[in-house]
Amino acid sequence: METLKTVVVGAGQAGLSAAYWLQRRGLRAWADFVVLDANDGPGGAWRHRWASLTFDAAHGLHPLPGLPLEAPDPREPSSAVVGRYYGTYEREFALPVVRPARVAAVAGTDDGAALLVRADDGRSWLAGSTAGAGPLLVRADDGREWLAQTVISATGTWDRPHWPHYPGQELFRGRQLHTHDFVSAEEFRGQRVLVVGGGTSALQFLLQLDAAGATTHWSTRRPPEFRKAPFDADWGIDVERRVNERTRAGLPPLSVVGATGLPLTEQYRAGIDAGVLVSQGPLERITAHGALLANGTELELDAILWATGFRASLGHLAPLRLREPGGGVLMAEDGVSVVREPRLFLVGYGASASTIGATRAGRAAAVAATRALAAVPEAQSA
């Protein structure tokens, strides 16, 4: 098996940005690097978003390097907009995207103690120790393998929806679903729905459900923090600084709303005035027919929608044993280099989880990876 210089895992905003800059820095498509995408087509996580999330309602859509994102019909689903844009981008720059190729594991191949690697489907195989500076083995869940001197992991968060646990949750006789599985507010017409979560997705769901004729309730652990100040460059720098402080300490990244707050748009202000976007406080427990809130309010419900966010999708990196005692991955000052594994670069993690952050991180990862490759002796890189 020929050793590539770089394998990029993921073809979302961060992965495509990294691929673009790898080419700009002299790496050849297919000969030197490939991009592995778990999806059947372009669009990254956006291709899975609910159809009612239209372009004008989506937050944080930013262009990729080298190709403007033209403004489409604002009522068009963002999934269609982004899927079309990413597909055009891949063709325009002839990016070497392999799909579908869902990566099950990344492991070391250096001499040393054998390491048992387990895939999500239960299959297992032996890989080498992770110590050393040899190539990394990238294995897809269908058995295909690639060797790479460096790996840029750009898998984002979509594959890891976070389901918090509350007492009685398994007793609820109604429907429970996560943001990940939401399709349409029309499914809940005439129903009593509790939305749990304090992010912008929760706000969008509440407004859509109310407009569709559902009776809504909103539960948040803390009072919602609506931000009146502009979401400008200074704000963005401050958010990145706070997120990076955690990843450089080996702690898990903040949630999106924990880092950004909620934008007080005219639409959200109207929702507050109408009583739709007013939190009823923390959730205490779930019952067979509803929920009990911490303030003593008992709700009778038909459905619970968990808009409780996502966690970084890093399961494929488990063989590299990167987790720190604090639960996160210790990142270097550049925000993309992994301290424990100099052959690995993370994008779409921490401060680069937003689309604008992912674009910048893709460039930073390409720069860091090509610098690492330049430091590898010719005999080893052959």
Side-chain angles (χ1 to χ4, degrees):
M1 190 171 17
E2 183 179 353
T3 301
L4 296 165
K5 292 184 181 297
T6 303
V7 166
V8 180
V9 183
Q13 188 92 11
L16 294 181
S17 174
Y20 171 88
W21 287 109
L22 287 173
Q23 280 192 329
R24 290 292 297 269
R25 293 182 65 82
L27 269 64
R28 300 164 298 165
W30 302 109
D32 292 331
F33 78 100
V34 294
V35 181
L36 307 182
D37 183 25
N39 293 300
D40 293 326
W46 286 99
R47 67 186 282 111
H48 305 292
R49 301 296 172 91
W50 51 100
S52 58
L53 180 61
T54 52
F55 182 78
D56 60 342
H59 294 288
L61 283 172
H62 293 275
L64 286 158
L67 185 68
L69 173 60
E70 297 181 5
D73 182 341
R75 295 166 296 180
E76 185 177 7
S78 57
S79 56
V81 174
V82 178
R84 185 171 62 246
Y85 174 58
Y86 284 10
T88 300
Y89 193 84
E90 292 174 13
R91 293 189 298 272
E92 178 74 18
F93 297 105
L95 298 180
V97 181
V98 180
R99 63 167 57 95
R102 180 177 296 278
V103 172
V106 178
T109 59
D110 313 289
D111 293 333
L115 178 68
L116 182 66
V117 180
R118 298 187 186 277
D120 292 337
D121 62 3
R123 290 180 296 170
S124 61
W125 67 95
L126 292 176
S129 150
T130 60
L136 292 168
L137 172 69
V138 181
R139 183 179 175 103
D141 60 5
D142 61 4
R144 285 177 292 171
E145 295 179 339
W146 294 262
L147 287 174
Q149 292 173 252
T150 60
V151 170
I152 297 175
S153 182
T155 47
T157 62
W158 184 255
D159 290 338
R160 281 201 63 202
H162 174 58
W163 290 77
H165 178 73
Y166 283 89
Q169 198 165 351
E170 68 282 357
L171 303 176
F172 183 59
R173 296 181 181 178
R175 180 184 178 188
Q176 296 188 61
L177 71 161
H178 192 275
T179 299
H180 183 276
D181 307 305
F182 182 84
V183 176
S184 170
E186 296 297 326
E187 298 179 11
F188 301 92
R189 181 180 299 276
Q191 296 186 21
R192 300 159 296 182
V193 184
L194 173 65
V195 178
V196 182
T200 54
S201 292
L203 304 181
Q204 294 165 6
F205 290 144
L206 286 160
L207 293 175
Q208 290 180 40
L209 290 165
D210 178 71
T215 300
T216 62
H217 303 276
W218 186 23
S219 173
T220 59
R221 289 186 300 166
R222 294 179 295 273
E225 295 183 12
F226 286 93
R227 181 183 174 89
K228 298 180 181 179
F231 285 66
D232 54 17
D234 289 340
W235 163 82
I237 292 171
D238 179 61
V239 168
E240 288 196 7
R241 177 188 57 78
R242 287 188 285 133
V243 175
N244 283 334
E245 283 178 354
R246 291 182 60 85
T247 57
R248 288 171 188 163
L251 299 173
L254 287 169
S255 67
V256 173
V257 69
T260 66
L262 297 167
L264 188 57
T265 65
E266 289 302 316
Q267 181 189 34
Y268 294 161
R269 191 187 299 273
I272 294 171
D273 293 341
V276 177
L277 302 185
V278 177
S279 173
Q280 294 176 253
L283 180 61
E284 183 73 23
R285 61 183 173 88
I286 310 296
T287 65
H289 302 286
L292 175 67
L293 302 179
N295 62 11
T297 302
E298 294 188 31
L299 302 175
E300 291 190 3
L301 303 169
D302 299 295
I304 301 174
L305 174 53
W306 298 94
T308 45
F310 298 79
R311 299 292 185 264
S313 182
L314 303 179
H316 59 294
L317 303 178
L320 299 176
R321 295 172 287 185
L322 304 174
R323 294 286 186 182
E324 299 294 326
V329 177
L330 184 61
M331 304 298 293
E333 288 292 320
D334 63 6
V336 296
S337 299
V338 178
V339 173
R340 283 182 179 264
E341 178 48 79
R343 299 165 291 184
L344 177 67
F345 307 90
L346 288 185
V347 289
Y349 177 77
S352 61
S354 66
T355 56
I356 188 170
T359 299
R360 290 197 297 263
R363 183 180 187 278
V367 170
T370 50
R371 284 177 177 169
L373 290 166
V376 177
E378 286 299 320
Q380 183 175 322
S381 62

